[in-house]
Amino acid sequence: MATNADVAAMLTELIALTTLEEESPQSFKVRAYEKAKLGIEAHGDDITELSETQLTAISGIGKSTAAKIREYLDTGTVEKLDELRASYPPAFVELSRIPGLGPKTLKLVRSELGVEDLEGLRAAIADQKLRHLPRMGETSEAKIARAIDRLGLTGKDRRTPIADALPMAKRLVADLSAIEGVSKVEFCGSLRRMSETVGDIDITVASTAPRAVMDAVVHHAEASEIVLTGDTKTSFLTSSGLQVDVRVVEPSQFGAATLYFTGSKAHNIALRQRAIDRDLLLNEYGLLDGDTVVASETEESIYRALDLAYVPPPMREATGEVEAASADALPDLVELVDIEGDLHYHTDRSGDGRSSLADMVAEAAGRDYRYLAITDHGEDLAINGSNREQMLEHRDKIRALQPRYPDMTILYGCELNIGADGGLDYDAEFRAMFDYTVASVHSHFDQPEPDQTARLIRAIEDPTVNSIGHLTGRYIGRRPGIELDIDKLLDALVANDVALEINGALDRLDAASDVVRRAVDRGVKLVINTDSHHVSELGRMEYGVLTAQRGWTPRELVVNTWPHDEFMDWAGAKK
Ligand code: DGT
Ligand code: CA
Ligand code: CA
Ligand code: ZN
C-alpha cells in the first residue's frame, strides 16, 4: 500500500527529472510539483484514498499534478515519470548533484561530449574538454573537478547522505517490528553511529522465526533488487542503489549482534582486545568464557562484563572512548530529555516557513519546553525575510501569545543573515530589540578561507548576536560548506560568549561532530536546534543531540539544557 511518503518520494523524483528536462528549477512544472509536495505535507492526513477532484482541493495541488498522483496510486507508476526515467538514467541524474553543473550545462556535456555518468565526466575533465563548451572555461572546469572530490562522488565507494538513509531505515525497522515472532529490531552500522554518509544500511532483527523475516524482506516494497538471500541474512538494493543488509539473530544474542554490527570496526577491535586480556572471547554471538556465555543479550551487559561504562553508539569510533569508559571518565553526555527549549524556529512569517506562529508555539509547548525562540529571517534574506514593520508586528503577535503559555517563555528572535563581509540585517539599535538571535550564512559560499573566517568573526563580535546557526551552510552530499579556520573561529566564539549551533536538520548536521568535539575541548558553548520551518520538523532535535554526542558534548555546555532562569540570564546578558 502506497503512503503519503511514497507519493512525496514520487514527486521528489519527478522534480529532479523535470528540472533536467525543463533545464530550470524555476520552471512552471517543477514549481507545481514542489508546491504539491509541500501541500501534502501541510495537509498531514492520508491522501491515498482521495479522488482527483478531492486532491485538487488540497492547497498547492494543481489539476495536472493531482492526475499524476492518482495515476501513481492506482497503477503504481506514472507514465510521464517512466518517460523521464528512460531519458535520464540514474547515473546521469546523479551528476546534477554537482555544484556548478546546472541542467543546461549537464545536457550540453551529454550532447557534445557524450558524458553519461561520473566516469565519463571525470574523463572529459581529464581531457580538458569541459572548458571548451559554451559558457564554460578553465575556472569552471576546475571548480567542477573540485566539487566532485569534495562530494565524495566516486564510483563504487559512493556514499549515501544520512538524510536519505535514516528515514528509510526507520521505515524498515517499523515494518520488520510488525512481523510475528520478531521481538527487537535495530538499525546498526555507521547509521546508528550517526555518520554523515553511509555505505549501506545494516539492520539486526531478533526473532525465533527467521524464515518469516527473510520472506518479508525479499518482498518489501523498498527492495528493488535482491543481492543475496540466505537463512538469516538478506541483502537488497533500493531503487536508488543503496544496499540494505538484514540479519536475523536469536533474541538471546541480540546485544552481541547489535554491538558487533554497529561497529565501528576499530571500536570492535578494541573491545575484542579487552576481552582477550581477560581470557574471554568476544564475537557477534556473545562474550564467551570457553563454552560459557558471559553476556550476550544486551549491549549494556557486555560492556559491564568488560568493566566498561556503556558507550553510546555515536561515540564508538575508537577515538579514546574505550579508554575513557575504562576509567569511568566518559563525558556526562547531553541527552534528548535534557533539552529545555528550541532556539531556532521559523513560522510562516518567513518566506520559507510553512506553519503558523500559533501552531509552532503549541507544538513546542507540547514538548514541554521552558523556552522557545521564534527566529524568522531578517530583511536581508530577500523574499524569505521580514522588514522592520513586519518584524514589529510579529513581535506583537508573539507577546500576545505569551499569556497562554505561563510555563514557557517565548522569545522574540531573529535569524540574522551574515552578509558577504560579515554585516547583519537592520541596524544595531533595531537588532538590540530582539530577545535572542541566531546569525547564519545563506549565500556567498565561494570566498577564500581567510575571508570567510573574517566574515564569521565579524558577526560573532557583534554585540547583538547570541549564536551562530548552521556554521558552514553545507548540505551533506549536495553542497560543500564554506571553508573556515576552525581554531580561530572557536576562539572568537569563546571570547565573545557566543554559542555554536548544532543544527539537527539531517541534510545539515552543522556544526559537524568533528567541529563540535573541537569546540567542546575549548569550552565553546553549544546550542542544539531544529531550525524547523514546519510543525512536522520539531523531532529533529533527536538528530542534533546524537550529533552532539558524536562530538562528546557534555550537558553543561549546551545552553538549551539549562534551567529557565539560568538560560534567560545568559541570553539577556548582552543587552
Ligand atoms: P559503512 O557501511 O561503510 O558506512 O560503515 P559501517 O561501519 O556500517 O561498516 P559495514 O557496513 O561494513 O559493517 C557494519 C559493522 O560490522 C561495522 O561497523 C563493524 C562490523 N564489522 C564489519 N566487518 C568487520 C570486521 O572485519 N571486523 C570487525 N571487528 N567488525 C566488522
Ligand atoms: Ca553499514
Ligand atoms: Ca553492511
Ligand atoms: Zn533558519
Side-chain angles (χ1 to χ4, degrees):
M1 274 301 292
T3 61
N4 281 17
D6 296 325
V7 174
M10 181 276 287
L11 288 172
T12 303
E13 192 179 355
L14 208 46
I15 289 165
L17 297 183
T18 311
T19 302
L20 268 176
E21 174 86 359
E22 303 273 313
E23 302 189 351
S24 163
Q26 300 301 332
S27 96
F28 174 76
K29 284 186 195 166
V30 173
R31 307 238 347 225
Y33 299 143
E34 275 170 348
K35 278 191 207 142
K37 214 179 126 189
L38 292 175
I40 292 169
E41 184 188 67
H43 179 68
D45 295 336
D46 182 30
I47 59 156
T48 58
E49 302 292 326
L50 300 184
S51 71
E52 205 175 306
T53 320
Q54 286 168 323
L55 283 170
T56 51
I58 294 174
S59 153
I61 304 187
K63 210 166 147 27
S64 147
T65 312
K68 290 192 178 61
I69 293 173
R70 206 51 259 169
E71 181 187 352
Y72 171 72
L73 290 168
D74 292 335
T75 69
T77 184
V78 180
E79 203 179 297
K80 181 69 205 172
L81 184 56
D82 288 340
E83 269 170 34
L84 288 166
R85 279 177 178 153
S87 309
Y88 307 105
F92 180 72
V93 178
E94 193 171 285
L95 299 179
S96 58
R97 295 200 305 161
I98 301 168
L101 254 190
K104 267 206 180 69
T105 314
L106 197 51
K107 285 165 89 171
L108 208 59
V109 166
R110 189 187 205 182
S111 60
E112 297 298 307
L113 307 176
V115 168
E116 288 290 338
D117 53 21
L118 187 63
E119 216 175 311
L121 182 63
R122 282 174 183 264
I125 291 172
D127 295 347
Q128 309 192 339
K129 283 182 176 161
L130 241 57
R131 62 182 66 174
H132 300 303
L133 294 176
R135 295 186 312 276
M136 297 285 287
E138 262 182 69
T139 323
S140 32
E141 186 181 82
K143 202 174 149 189
I144 290 171
R146 216 163 67 100
I148 293 175
D149 288 343
R150 291 187 65 184
L151 286 176
L153 275 169
T154 50
K156 59 180 180 304
D157 55 11
R158 85 162 245 250
R159 301 182 60 83
T160 300
I162 187 169
D164 298 331
L166 192 60
M168 154 119 36
K170 288 202 159 181
R171 281 203 295 280
L172 280 163
V173 165
D175 292 346
L176 296 177
S177 305
I179 298 170
E180 185 142 340
V182 169
S183 51
K184 283 183 191 139
V185 187
E186 183 99 74
F187 57 84
C188 298
S190 50
L191 195 58
R192 185 163 175 237
R193 303 197 310 274
M194 276 305 279
S195 292
E196 295 165 2
T197 62
V198 301
D200 64 3
I201 295 178
D202 300 283
I203 294 184
T204 308
V205 181
S207 174
T208 47
R211 193 68 260 153
V213 178
M214 296 293 97
D215 280 348
V217 172
V218 169
H219 294 111
H220 197 277
E222 300 285 2
S224 85
E225 187 187 328
I226 305 298
V227 178
L228 79 96
T229 178
D231 295 339
T232 57
K233 177 176 173 184
T234 293
S235 297
F236 66 80
L237 298 179
T238 67
S239 58
S240 63
L242 175 61
Q243 179 160 333
V244 180
D245 297 338
V246 182
R247 299 176 184 85
V248 186
V249 302
E250 287 287 329
S252 65
Q253 297 172 335
F254 188 69
T258 55
L259 182 62
Y260 182 88
F261 291 114
T262 297
S264 65
K265 196 169 163 180
H267 180 82
N268 287 354
I269 289 168
L271 292 187
R272 194 177 321 136
Q273 187 54 51
R274 201 170 163 93
I276 291 169
D277 294 345
R278 285 164 174 68
D279 283 327
L280 301 172
L281 179 70
L282 178 65
N283 60 29
E284 62 206 272
Y285 306 106
L287 180 64
L288 311 168
D289 184 355
D291 288 340
T292 313
V293 178
V294 178
S296 70
E297 194 167 349
T298 65
E299 291 185 342
E300 284 81 355
S301 67
I302 297 171
Y303 281 105
R304 212 177 308 123
L306 290 171
D307 300 314
L308 292 171
Y310 178 75
V311 179
M315 293 180 76
R316 298 182 193 167
E317 296 289 353
T319 58
E321 76 281 6
V322 177
E323 294 79 356
S326 170
D328 202 15
L330 287 174
D332 182 12
L333 276 194
V334 60
E335 292 177 28
L336 190 56
V337 294
D338 300 328
I339 300 297
E340 295 283 314
D342 197 334
L343 299 166
H344 188 164
Y345 256 37
H346 296 271
T347 71
D348 55 17
R349 173 68 263 144
S350 293
D352 53 359
R354 308 188 304 282
S355 296
S356 69
L357 172 66
D359 287 351
M360 291 298 275
V361 171
E363 200 74 21
R367 300 181 85 86
D368 223 12
Y369 286 154
R370 295 287 163 263
Y371 40 88
L372 172 70
I374 305 294
T375 55
D376 282 297
H377 290 294
E379 67 179 347
D380 290 350
L381 209 59
I383 53 163
N384 287 330
S386 303
N387 63 30
R388 293 166 195 238
E389 201 179 320
Q390 292 167 324
M391 265 297 176
L392 292 174
E393 219 172 275
H394 199 42
R395 177 175 68 171
D396 292 342
K397 285 191 188 149
I398 291 169
R399 300 289 188 241
L401 266 180
Q402 181 63 78
R404 275 200 247 162
Y405 298 95
D407 296 329
M408 182 174 80
T409 298
I410 313 170
L411 298 161
Y412 160 60
C414 184
E415 178 168 17
L416 299 167
N417 181 56
I418 302 177
D421 60 353
L424 302 166
D425 311 63
Y426 313 111
D427 58 43
E429 201 183 327
F430 192 86
R431 290 198 302 272
M433 287 192 285
F434 293 113
D435 303 328
Y436 184 87
T437 64
V438 45
S440 328
V441 163
H442 297 102
S443 61
H444 302 91
F445 296 98
D446 280 340
Q447 299 180 36
E449 181 193 286
D451 297 5
Q452 296 287 27
T453 307
R455 175 187 184 193
L456 263 287
I457 290 178
R458 190 177 154 207
I460 290 167
E461 288 175 343
D462 188 284
T464 64
V465 169
N466 292 103
S467 63
I468 295 295
H470 48 72
L471 180 65
T472 71
R474 70 170 181 175
Y475 281 119
I476 297 169
R478 278 196 287 136
R479 178 171 81 197
I482 60 173
E483 292 178 34
L484 291 167
D485 181 331
I486 295 294
D487 286 327
K488 272 194 192 159
L489 182 106
L490 296 175
D491 285 342
L493 288 166
V494 172
N496 294 279
D497 197 19
V498 168
L500 175 64
E501 175 181 83
I502 301 172
N503 189 299
L506 273 182
D507 52 358
R508 291 192 184 269
L509 300 180
D510 191 9
S513 59
D514 54 328
V515 173
V516 171
R517 189 152 174 200
R518 288 163 73 179
V520 167
D521 285 341
R522 279 168 199 252
V524 174
K525 290 192 179 77
L526 296 158
V527 53
I528 307 174
N529 291 326
T530 63
D531 195 358
S532 291
H533 289 67
H534 185 263
V535 285
S536 64
E537 293 171 345
L538 277 77
R540 293 170 176 176
M541 186 59 84
E542 176 191 354
Y543 309 132
V545 169
L546 288 169
T547 300
Q549 292 185 345
R550 197 169 157 81
W552 291 48
T553 306
R555 180 179 44 225
E556 73 263 16
L557 275 183
V558 181
V559 298
N560 55 327
T561 65
W562 295 355
H564 177 272
D565 293 359
E566 202 179 319
F567 170 75
M568 292 298 290
D569 284 350
W570 172 76
K574 292 209 156 182
K575 311 289 179 227

